[in-house]
């Protein structure tokens, strides 16, 4: 009976997507990210000067609005190259390729920042479900699922020794007004924090506290007390 209730209310969707994303992708690629970044840095010593940025930056838009081309999402983000790929036999597919793309992100002062960045792909599934009559996700339900996905993924990764210090989750709510460079500013904010963290470690001081980015504490306040999505609604989009 509990299983049927859970299935009807779609309560396990975000939880399952987060675990699948971790087991089927992040647990495979994240332990190899630093090695790829180190190889690129040896060939390009003046690009990735801050080791704290040698990680995969994972975008988590709570709107689930995912662009296949980051350059179209924000013109201040430009593709540079692909990092060294990992090839594995996986679930019957021989030589399955895993790779990440390196981008430059331009800030308001025209300074260029470099990082490996990509969207959390399961959000595409959440968005598609909200457009499919069979799933019947409303906007509100999709938002709740996105928050639960983020919180679940955050907890999974915090407990993963293999993935430690190889990722940075960037959860955000897009500005209500049209802002063509919102995403680049969001990424740059996190990159600056990583630079501050590296300087703090070198100097033996405490890194500054985040002031603008969404964190799990904020998301806790926004999610229902039960930590589960509310019952599905069938209102318009």
């Amino acid at each position: 009976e509990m299983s049927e209730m859970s299935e009807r209310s779609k309560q396990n969707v975000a939880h399952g997507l987060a675990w699948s994303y971790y087991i089927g992708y992040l647990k495979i690629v994240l332990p190899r990210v630093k090695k790829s970044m180190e190889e690129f840095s040896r060939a390009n010593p003046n690009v990735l000067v801050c080791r704290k940025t040698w990680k995969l930056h994972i975008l988590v838009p709570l709107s689930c609005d995912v662009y296949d081309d980051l350059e179209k999402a924000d013109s201040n983000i430009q593709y540079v190259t692909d990092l060294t790929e990992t090839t594995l036999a996986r679930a019957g597919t021989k030589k399955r390729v895993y790779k990440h793309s390196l981008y430059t992100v331009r800030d308001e002062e025209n300074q260029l920042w470099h990082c490996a960045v990509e969207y959390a792909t399961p959000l595409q599934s959440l968005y598609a479900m909200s457009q499919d009559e069979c799933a019947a996700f409303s906007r509100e339900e999709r938002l709740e699922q996105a928050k639960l996905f983020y919180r679940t993924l955050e907890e999974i990764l915090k407990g993963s020794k293999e993935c430690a210090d190889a990722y940075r989750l960037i959860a955000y709510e897009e500005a209500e007004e049209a802002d063509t460079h919102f995403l680049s500013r969001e990424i740059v904010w996190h990159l600056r924090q990583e630079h501050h963290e590296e300087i703090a470690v070198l100097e033996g001081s405490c890194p500054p506290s985040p002031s603008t980015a969404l964190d799990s504490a904020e998301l806790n306040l926004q999610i229902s007390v039960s930590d589960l999505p509310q019952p599905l609604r069938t209102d318009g989009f």
Side-chain angles (χ1 to χ4, degrees):
E1 183 179 354
M2 290 297 294
S3 178
E4 290 178 0
M5 290 174 59
S6 179
E7 184 178 352
R8 283 198 301 270
S9 63
K10 307 296 191 297
Q11 290 176 346
N12 290 329
V13 172
H15 186 266
L17 285 174
W19 272 103
S20 177
Y21 184 47
Y22 168 70
I23 295 293
Y25 180 64
L26 295 181
K27 192 175 182 180
I28 298 171
V29 302
L30 288 182
R32 298 170 170 82
V33 165
K34 284 192 178 296
K35 181 179 179 181
S36 296
M37 302 290 275
E38 186 174 0
E39 290 174 358
F40 179 86
S41 184
R42 283 201 298 267
N44 304 271
N46 298 321
V47 177
L48 298 173
V49 293
C50 176
R51 296 183 69 92
K52 274 287 183 178
T53 65
W54 290 13
K55 57 187 67 174
L56 183 62
H57 297 77
I58 303 170
L59 302 176
V60 186
L62 299 183
S63 66
C64 298
D65 193 3
V66 172
Y67 286 80
D68 289 325
D69 189 341
L70 275 170
E71 294 173 314
K72 291 182 179 178
D74 189 323
S75 60
N76 278 349
I77 304 173
Q78 296 293 318
Y79 168 80
V80 177
T81 188
D82 289 330
L83 297 175
T84 305
E85 62 186 36
T86 297
T87 304
L88 299 171
R90 187 75 176 168
T93 301
K94 292 188 177 295
K95 299 182 179 180
R96 175 166 290 183
V97 174
Y98 298 87
K99 65 181 179 180
H100 310 290
S101 295
L102 188 73
Y103 290 87
T104 58
V105 185
R106 187 181 302 274
D107 65 16
E108 299 92 334
E109 300 173 354
N110 284 325
Q111 180 181 352
L112 297 180
W113 302 74
H114 294 80
C115 68
V117 59
E118 61 188 48
Y119 285 101
T121 52
L123 295 178
Q124 287 182 311
S125 297
L126 282 179
Y127 188 86
M129 290 178 72
S130 72
Q131 305 298 309
D132 193 302
E133 293 182 359
C134 294
F137 270 23
S138 67
R139 277 184 185 170
E140 291 79 8
E141 175 65 15
R142 186 178 69 201
L143 178 60
E144 292 296 318
Q145 292 284 348
K147 292 173 185 176
L148 183 56
F149 170 82
Y150 170 78
R151 289 185 54 215
T152 303
L153 183 62
E154 183 184 45
E155 288 302 313
I156 294 171
L157 288 171
K158 279 182 178 179
S160 173
K161 294 180 180 179
E162 302 99 322
C163 301
D165 203 34
Y167 68 93
R168 189 175 184 102
L169 297 179
I170 304 178
Y172 59 90
E173 291 185 281
E174 296 178 353
E176 294 183 2
E177 298 180 359
D179 186 348
T180 56
H181 298 307
F182 171 84
L183 183 55
S184 58
R185 284 200 299 272
E186 191 74 20
I187 295 171
V188 166
W189 186 89
H190 283 269
L191 294 174
R192 283 178 175 149
Q193 292 302 308
E194 289 168 337
H195 276 257
H196 289 321
E197 289 168 9
E198 180 162 292
I199 292 172
V201 170
L202 293 174
E203 295 179 349
S205 59
C206 296
S209 301
S211 58
T212 62
L214 286 176
D215 59 21
S216 58
E218 288 179 274
L219 293 177
N220 281 336
L221 295 176
Q222 297 172 20
I223 296 181
S224 59
V225 177
S226 67
D227 283 345
L228 292 172
Q230 297 299 311
L232 289 179
R233 296 173 56 184
T234 56
D235 52 341
F237 294 89

